[in-house]
Amino acid sequence: MKNLLTLGLALVVTSATAQSLTGAGASFPFPLYSKMFAEYKTAAGTSVNYQSVGSGAGQKAITERTVDFAGSDNPMSDDSLKAAPAKLLHIPTAIGAVVPAYNLPGVTDPLKFTGKVLADIYLGKIKLWNDKAIMALNPGVTIPPLPITVARRSDGSGTTFVFSDYLAKVSTEWKTKVGVGNSLSWPVGTGAKGNDGVAGVVKSTPGAIGYVELVYAKQNKLPFGSVQNRAGKYVLADNGPAALAAKGVVIPADTRVSLTNSANADAYPIASFTYVIFYQDQKYGDRTQAQAQELKKLLTWMTTAGQQYNEPLDYAKLPDTVASKAKTIIGTMTYGGSKF
């Protein structure tokens, strides 16, 4: 009972009422969800099996109704929502930062990047680390003349969506030649699965650069650069600057929004919500109302008491206004058309 009170759960659990839930999707929040779901099982007795398979696979799984919820770093498009068999809802659970992590022996200070330079690296136009465009941003830094090995995702990825969404806002060439999406036709690069896969390529390859969620760079002890934001400031990713991204953007009632290139003058520019996606009406297939209630309890906890785990794992907590919108969305859940 002590754990229940600590985590803000006003329920009594017995072995007879214990349930299990399944989720799949983004690798971006996987370190956070692993911690959250372990703590939730201890407190509530509910097991949550979350598979880190990428946002694209998560969106496919929830559309096909093979999981209770999906994890995704980008909201589903209007067309994708229309293709689902019933109405899907989104709630954010955290704000994360996507960072340019690199492996440059002898370089100890964080490098500075502009969006244009990052776009040109991923377009294959900048091929060496001592290219004049990189050197101009980092005067006084001795950068080895190593060839750049570009690491990127091979799977359908919300992290890719966030990174490409940012590049499309700051580079017309990227927008017209490559565009925005979970999966892209990459001009260059070595593909790897998941944030952990990209981090692994960077860690093992001198001269490599890859875009990963902040916690993956920190866990792998990879240096990462500061990125110029919309106000012209070079910002190094952290919880505070990532959270500020949401304060420079109008958050709609359904919370489906891009936080990249935020208008907030102190925001980190490559930031994003990570979402849980689920059906508004929970009566489908052989689902019981008890399962629906368990999902509702979990989602409520993730956006309230569960937020205490965000910052220790390098994710920003939801702003109060966003948490309030999530509460309203969760409150619209039904079972067979009736609220529960």
Side-chain angles (χ1 to χ4, degrees), residues 10-253:
L11 66 155
V12 176
V13 177
T14 68
S15 59
T17 60
Q19 299 284 338
S20 62
L21 296 167
T22 60
S27 63
F28 184 103
F30 185 61
L32 174 62
Y33 287 178
S34 296
K35 175 64 175 176
M36 277 188 168
F37 298 153
E39 295 292 339
Y40 191 73
K41 182 177 181 180
T42 298
T46 300
S47 297
V48 185
N49 179 8
Y50 181 80
Q51 298 296 315
S52 173
V53 293
S55 296
Q59 292 182 16
K60 183 174 185 289
I62 193 64
T63 301
E64 295 175 349
R65 290 177 163 172
T66 58
V67 292
D68 294 296
F69 66 91
S72 180
D73 308 320
N74 63 290
M76 293 175 66
S77 67
D78 289 345
D79 287 343
S80 294
L81 291 176
K82 289 176 184 176
K87 185 175 181 177
L88 285 165
L89 303 175
H90 293 64
I91 56 166
T93 55
I95 301 171
V98 178
V99 300
Y102 52 84
N103 182 342
L104 279 176
V107 177
T108 55
D109 294 327
L111 294 180
K112 293 179 180 178
F113 294 97
T114 61
K116 184 180 186 310
V117 163
L118 287 173
D120 285 349
I121 289 172
Y122 274 81
L123 286 166
K125 296 173 67 176
I126 295 178
K127 302 177 184 295
L128 295 173
W129 277 105
N130 65 341
D131 185 281
K132 62 182 181 180
I134 297 175
M135 298 294 288
L137 299 178
N138 298 278
V141 180
T142 301
I143 302 176
L146 285 173
I148 297 174
T149 298
V150 172
R152 43 83 174 173
R153 292 286 286 274
S154 60
D155 53 332
S157 159
T159 310
T160 294
F161 187 98
V162 174
F163 186 63
S164 61
D165 181 58
Y166 167 70
L167 294 184
K169 290 178 179 178
V170 296
S171 167
T172 301
E173 186 174 3
W174 180 272
K175 183 177 181 179
T176 56
K177 289 185 177 180
V178 184
V180 181
N182 293 72
S183 298
L184 300 171
S185 179
W186 293 95
V188 294
T190 299
K193 186 176 181 180
N195 273 275
D196 51 341
V198 172
V201 171
V202 176
K203 190 172 185 177
S204 63
T205 312
I209 186 171
Y211 58 93
V212 295
E213 206 282 331
L214 175 61
V215 68
Y216 288 89
K218 289 192 172 184
Q219 286 180 347
N220 287 278
K221 297 180 170 55
L222 295 173
F224 54 91
S226 62
V227 182
Q228 188 181 49
N229 70 9
R230 192 163 160 182
K233 296 180 181 178
Y234 288 91
V235 182
L236 196 65
D238 202 353
N239 290 336
L244 289 174
K247 295 186 177 181
V249 174
V250 176
I251 310 298

